Amino acid sequence: MKTHLNLLLLLWLCSSCAQLNYLDQAQNAFNQGASLETNLSFGEPALLGQPSAAGSQAMSLATPDLCYRLAYAQVNKALLKDSKLKADGVLVNAHSLRALSAWKLGLYAQATESALAAKIALQDSEVPLPREAAMMTALEGLIQADQAFLAVQKLKLDHQKPNVSDGLNTMANIRKQYEADIVNSNGSGKIDKALSILDKAKLEVPGRADIQTYFIMSQLAALKTWLDELDQIYSLLKTFNLSGNNNDLKRWFDQENDRFTQKRNLYMGQLAPLLPQQKENVMYKRWEEWLFN
């Protein structure tokens, strides 16, 4: 009988190790994807270190998308036996990692579902996990920012060859889209919501400069989408010859440009003290290039 019990214990431990191994592989793959993405965004060489347990030597040639797909696949395997993850105290981490991997892959429904599961697991956790809690708060804001970005890219494609004869109607439609995707008076625009949610997430981790920096740079990325939309609108106003002879549109555009400038200055001011060398930091300089024109 004792031998059978020992065998069962051994099988349980091996199963638990397997789940932790899947989770570890998922975390490694996600970290590699995030590192690659950051390097590509800031113009650094897209190099990975030695291939880890997350994959084979092919990982040295990985793209961010491939890394995130691997992370998502492995964390899903880990969560097939979530009771073992809970017993090992890593269930919150697993749900959080699944949420972030799904977000990176554009699987927004799955990301939202996993963020909710992580928050529920956090309530049952005896160990406070402020980083994970803040990230799950921020996730909906990150999704809103992504969706705004996709809408602005579509707008650019739709108006590559604008119909000049129908300028006023086109601008009326674009203004409605701007208020849905960017900002409006009641705060329900996607960029509005993204900035607001990320502000709330920052309040959850006041002492964590690394996470604060990430959230602020996410807000600056949302502002880049906002600026791209304003640039597109300005170009169309000139194409339709409305920039100088339509006072209503001019007032509205100037007002939105001022609103953008205030937000840009706010978040750039928050970013500088968190960086080594502050305004001389390469990341700060890069955001200046992107957001000041």
Side-chain angles (χ1 to χ4, degrees), residues 118-182:
K119 290 177 182 177
I120 293 172
L122 275 164
Q123 294 174 357
D124 294 335
S125 176
E126 296 179 359
V127 179
L129 298 168
R131 183 188 66 176
E132 283 75 8
M135 284 301 303
M136 293 304 97
T137 296
L139 190 60
E140 183 57 34
L142 298 171
I143 290 172
Q144 291 289 328
D146 275 4
Q147 291 175 334
F149 172 80
L150 293 173
V152 169
Q153 297 309 303
K154 183 177 184 302
L155 179 70
K156 289 181 181 180
L157 291 174
D158 289 346
H159 295 288
Q160 282 183 341
K161 296 181 179 179
N163 183 356
V164 178
S165 64
D166 200 23
L168 282 174
N169 284 336
T170 299
M171 288 308 305
N173 290 333
I174 288 175
R175 186 168 171 175
K176 287 180 183 177
Q177 186 172 349
Y178 174 93
E179 291 176 350
D181 295 327
I182 309 298

Side-chain angles (χ1 to χ4, degrees), residues 95-96 99 110-120 135-137 139:
H95 282 305
S96 299
Q110 292 89 329
T112 299
E113 172 196 359
S114 291
L116 178 59
K119 290 177 182 177
I120 293 172
M135 284 301 303
M136 293 304 97
T137 296
L139 190 60

Side-chain angles (χ1 to χ4, degrees), residues 16-246:
S16 180
C17 288
Q19 304 314 112
L20 292 177
N21 190 39
Y22 289 139
L23 183 59
D24 185 55
Q25 290 174 8
Q27 186 66 68
N28 287 338
F30 185 89
N31 290 345
Q32 289 182 333
S35 178
L36 265 175
E37 189 175 9
T38 299
N39 289 341
L40 291 170
S41 296
F42 286 93
E44 299 295 331
L47 298 175
L48 291 173
Q50 292 297 318
S52 70
S56 67
Q57 194 169 2
M59 286 300 292
S60 63
L61 303 175
T63 63
D65 184 74
L66 179 61
C67 292
Y68 295 137
R69 289 185 185 280
L70 178 58
Y72 188 67
Q74 296 302 90
V75 77
N76 277 329
K77 290 180 183 178
L79 282 164
L80 288 175
K81 297 183 179 178
D82 56 358
S83 60
K84 293 183 172 56
L85 297 178
K86 184 175 182 179
D88 287 316
V90 293
L91 183 58
V92 174
N93 308 74
H95 282 305
S96 299
L97 185 56
R98 184 179 187 271
L100 293 172
S101 300
W103 160 58
K104 286 294 188 179
L105 294 171
L107 304 174
Y108 298 134
Q110 292 89 329
T112 299
E113 172 196 359
S114 291
L116 178 59
K119 290 177 182 177
I120 293 172
L122 275 164
Q123 294 174 357
D124 294 335
S125 176
E126 296 179 359
V127 179
L129 298 168
R131 183 188 66 176
E132 283 75 8
M135 284 301 303
M136 293 304 97
T137 296
L139 190 60
E140 183 57 34
L142 298 171
I143 290 172
Q144 291 289 328
D146 275 4
Q147 291 175 334
F149 172 80
L150 293 173
V152 169
Q153 297 309 303
K154 183 177 184 302
L155 179 70
K156 289 181 181 180
L157 291 174
D158 289 346
H159 295 288
Q160 282 183 341
K161 296 181 179 179
N163 183 356
V164 178
S165 64
D166 200 23
L168 282 174
N169 284 336
T170 299
M171 288 308 305
N173 290 333
I174 288 175
R175 186 168 171 175
K176 287 180 183 177
Q177 186 172 349
Y178 174 93
E179 291 176 350
D181 295 327
I182 309 298
V183 298
N184 57 53
S185 58
N186 60 21
S188 63
K190 289 184 173 64
I191 295 297
D192 262 329
K193 290 192 282 190
L195 298 177
S196 177
I197 292 168
L198 286 163
D199 278 336
K200 291 177 183 176
K202 286 188 293 189
L203 294 176
E204 295 185 20
V205 281
R208 290 292 302 269
D210 56 337
I211 306 175
Q212 292 278 332
T213 300
Y214 178 78
F215 288 159
I216 293 169
M217 288 203 290
S218 297
Q219 290 175 308
L220 293 175
L223 291 183
K224 180 63 170 67
T225 295
W226 187 350
L227 180 60
D228 286 347
E229 178 82 329
L230 288 173
D231 286 345
Q232 171 74 356
I233 291 171
Y234 181 71
S235 176
L236 290 172
L237 286 172
K238 289 178 65 178
T239 299
F240 298 143
N241 196 28
L242 295 172
S243 56
N245 58 14
N246 188 301

Side-chain angles (χ1 to χ4, degrees), residues 41-42 216-217 220-221 223-224 227 231 260 264-265 267-269 271-272 275 277-293:
S41 296
F42 286 93
I216 293 169
M217 288 203 290
L220 293 175
L223 291 183
K224 180 63 170 67
L227 180 60
D231 286 345
F260 163 81
R264 179 198 65 195
N265 292 345
Y267 294 127
M268 290 294 286
L271 178 65
L275 299 174
Q277 300 177 304
Q278 299 195 10
K279 292 185 179 181
E280 297 304 313
N281 185 279
V282 64
M283 284 190 179
Y284 188 91
K285 294 288 189 183
R286 192 59 55 87
W287 284 114
E288 278 189 321
E289 292 174 15
W290 289 335
L291 297 177
F292 289 77
N293 62 12

